Amino acid sequence: MPAKVLELPLTLTPAQEAIDACTARFKAVEAGRRFGKTEYGLFASCKAAAAPDTDNWYIAPTYGQAKEIAWRRLLQILPPSIIKKKHETSLTATLVNRSNISLKGSDNPDTLRGRKLWSVTVEEASYHREYIWSDIIR
């Protein structure tokens, strides 16, 4: 069965398109303010969630930052027709294909344990404790 194309109300910049075209398993983006790192991270999470029955996380340094930085924008990006339900408390959008996009904070590391993840976007990576990536997420 061919993959379903998810149309999102976003236009990537040429630099974001270059990142998206990269086939590396892990991508690290170092760029200045106003580059669109958050916007691209949300795009990447939505794109990954087009695969059915997957868990996709966007992780900020704190839960509050995830909510402040990305939750409203995520709901603007996702077409309402593909959102099956959204949970404001857990910052999770469940799509009609049974995939989830969840916003998390690494300030409570135990909340990051135990899930099999399809994709992860780490916002402001230098502000997370080093072991979060190596010992928990990866």
Side-chain angles (χ1 to χ4, degrees), residues 87-99:
H87 196 278
E88 298 281 339
T89 305
S90 67
L91 302 182
T92 298
T94 300
L95 308 184
V96 295
N97 69 352
R98 298 173 312 281
S99 287

Side-chain angles (χ1 to χ4, degrees), residues 5-88:
V5 175
L6 181 61
E7 294 292 329
L8 300 174
L10 287 174
T11 302
L12 297 180
T13 66
Q16 291 167 329
E17 286 178 353
I19 295 165
D20 196 51
C22 176
T23 59
R25 180 175 179 203
F26 302 115
K27 302 176 190 182
V29 177
E30 181 180 355
R33 292 178 48 107
R34 311 303 304 163
F35 174 86
K37 299 179 295 292
T38 298
E39 193 84 354
Y40 177 75
L42 290 171
F43 165 82
S45 295
C46 293
K47 183 178 172 182
D53 298 306
T54 59
D55 283 313
N56 305 278
W57 284 3
Y58 173 99
I59 305 173
T62 69
Y63 177 83
Q65 287 174 315
K67 185 172 187 173
E68 183 69 28
I69 294 168
W71 180 245
R72 187 176 326 144
R73 185 62 184 134
L74 175 65
L75 296 179
Q76 291 170 344
I77 292 170
L78 288 171
S81 62
I82 69 164
I83 300 175
K84 183 176 181 179
K85 67 179 176 180
K86 57 185 175 189
H87 196 278
E88 298 281 339

Side-chain angles (χ1 to χ4, degrees), residues 97-128:
N97 69 352
R98 298 173 312 281
S99 287
N100 295 303
I101 302 173
S102 299
L103 277 55
K104 303 282 188 178
S106 69
D107 50 335
N108 186 354
D110 288 337
T111 64
L112 304 176
R113 297 183 188 277
R115 299 292 294 186
K116 181 179 176 184
L117 302 174
W118 182 255
S119 74
V120 176
T121 297
V122 179
E123 176 83 18
E124 299 288 353
S126 64
Y127 291 100
H128 297 266

